[in-house]
Amino acid sequence: IKLLNYAKSLGDYLVVGIDTDDRIKEKKGNLRPVNNLEERTFILENLKSVNKVFSFSSDKELENLIKSIKPDIMVIGSDWKDKFVIGSCYVSKLIFFDRIDGYSTTKIIESIIDRR
């Protein structure tokens, strides 16, 4: 939410792109996603800072989405700082938002499993 509020403060309209369930499962394993695409989309669409939510199932789809939207600014997590950022060539400015210590879905899942 802090990242989204920050991103919204930089402009008038905030578009959020999220991975499809299959893409998350492919990248993070069978325990993910915790919430399905419909639930995640609903939550994001109901935050004050978010104007529109799109989902994507491949790198190419994400690139085409960014290319078609042509955002002035793209804000992503700082964990992407030294990595290739898909679609960054189509934006005027790329901003990395510093991760907030202690907030990680993977760590939350591991904590729940450890309690059993």
Side-chain angles (χ1 to χ4, degrees):
I1 291 174
K2 286 186 178 187
L3 180 151
L4 297 171
N5 287 340
Y6 172 72
K8 177 65 177 219
S9 76
L10 301 174
D12 298 324
Y13 196 84
L14 180 60
V15 176
V16 177
I18 58 175
D19 294 294
T20 60
D21 294 345
D22 288 340
R23 184 169 164 94
I24 291 173
K25 207 173 283 292
E26 178 185 305
K27 292 184 175 290
K28 301 281 187 166
N30 287 329
L31 294 177
R32 304 286 289 276
V34 174
N35 296 306
N36 67 37
L37 179 61
E38 185 178 317
E39 293 165 339
R40 291 180 287 122
T41 300
F42 177 80
I43 291 166
L44 287 167
E45 287 176 339
N46 284 280
L47 295 175
K48 281 201 291 188
S49 58
V50 177
N51 296 103
K52 185 71 179 164
V53 178
F54 291 100
S55 64
F56 56 91
S57 58
S58 68
D59 290 356
K60 190 66 177 167
E61 198 174 325
L62 173 58
E63 182 179 357
N64 288 337
L65 179 64
I66 295 166
K67 188 177 181 179
S68 69
I69 294 171
K70 299 179 183 115
D72 292 322
I73 302 168
M74 181 189 297
V75 179
I76 62 169
S78 60
D79 47 327
W80 285 93
K81 259 188 184 164
D82 295 319
K83 299 174 186 170
F84 173 72
V85 177
I86 296 166
S88 60
C89 60
Y90 301 110
V91 301
S92 302
K93 188 172 187 178
L94 180 63
I95 297 175
F96 296 98
F97 186 84
D98 287 335
R99 289 187 63 96
I100 300 169
D101 289 337
Y103 289 93
S104 161
T105 303
T106 301
K107 287 181 184 176
I108 292 169
I109 291 170
E110 289 170 354
S111 172
I112 292 168
I113 291 170
D114 289 345
R115 291 182 206 164
R116 297 180 4 185

